[in-house]
């Protein structure tokens, strides 16, 4: 079962962000931050939890912590952000087609990148 927050705020529909982060404290901190920024968030403890959820598959953006699991292939037309502490390792692995945000997350880089990506799509 997926773990979605409310998809609407009165009359406005909030963009749904699929947050794939295995580390629970990080996952919950990111969920809080993204919801505070006005997004609806689904943050399952494991990626398989949303596999059959239509809303989760249609998320506006996916945010993945590179320590969570093997990175799934980006879905064309849907932005993907990868959080990493080792950008060079991602390059060596041939990861492409994603936006990379370096950890530790000490400023609002994630929020800025997310806003830019969603504005483009």
């Amino acid at each position: 079962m997926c773990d979605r927050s409310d998809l609407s705020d009165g009359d406005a529909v909030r963009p749904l962000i699929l947050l794939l982060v295995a580390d629970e404290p990080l996952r919950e901190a990111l969920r809080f931050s993204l919801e505070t920024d006005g997004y609806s968030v689904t943050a399952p403890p494991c990626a398989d939890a949303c596999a059959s959820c239509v809303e989760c598959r249609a998320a506006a953006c996916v945010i993945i912590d590179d320590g969570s699991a093997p990175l799934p292939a980006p879905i064309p037309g849907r932005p993907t952000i990868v959080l990493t502490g080792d950008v060079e390792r991602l390059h060596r692995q041939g990861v492409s087609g994603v936006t990379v945000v370096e950890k530790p997350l000490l400023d609002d880089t994630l929020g800025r990148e997310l806003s830019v990506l969603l504005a483009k799509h």
Side-chain angles (χ1 to χ4, degrees), residues 45-74:
C46 70
D48 295 337
C50 283
S52 63
C53 178
V54 173
E55 290 89 359
C56 293
R57 288 186 306 209
C61 184
V62 178
I63 299 174
I64 305 168
D65 179 31
D66 75 337
S68 296
L71 297 177

Side-chain angles (χ1 to χ4, degrees), residues 71-93:
L71 297 177
I75 296 173
R78 180 168 69 180
T80 299
I81 296 174
V82 176
L83 308 175
T84 186
D86 188 353
V87 174
E88 291 304 315
R89 183 175 53 80
L90 291 180
H91 292 299
R92 287 190 306 273
Q93 292 175 342

Side-chain angles (χ1 to χ4, degrees), residues 7-85:
L7 292 177
S8 65
D9 186 14
D11 293 329
V13 174
R14 301 183 301 153
L16 178 63
I17 307 303
L18 177 55
L19 185 60
L20 302 177
V21 177
D23 180 77
E24 184 178 6
L26 177 58
R27 183 175 64 245
E28 292 309 314
L30 288 172
R31 175 202 294 269
F32 176 79
S33 177
L34 292 167
E35 288 176 345
T36 300
D37 286 345
Y39 299 104
S40 180
V41 179
T42 184
C46 70
D48 295 337
C50 283
S52 63
C53 178
V54 173
E55 290 89 359
C56 293
R57 288 186 306 209
C61 184
V62 178
I63 299 174
I64 305 168
D65 179 31
D66 75 337
S68 296
L71 297 177
I75 296 173
R78 180 168 69 180
T80 299
I81 296 174
V82 176
L83 308 175
T84 186

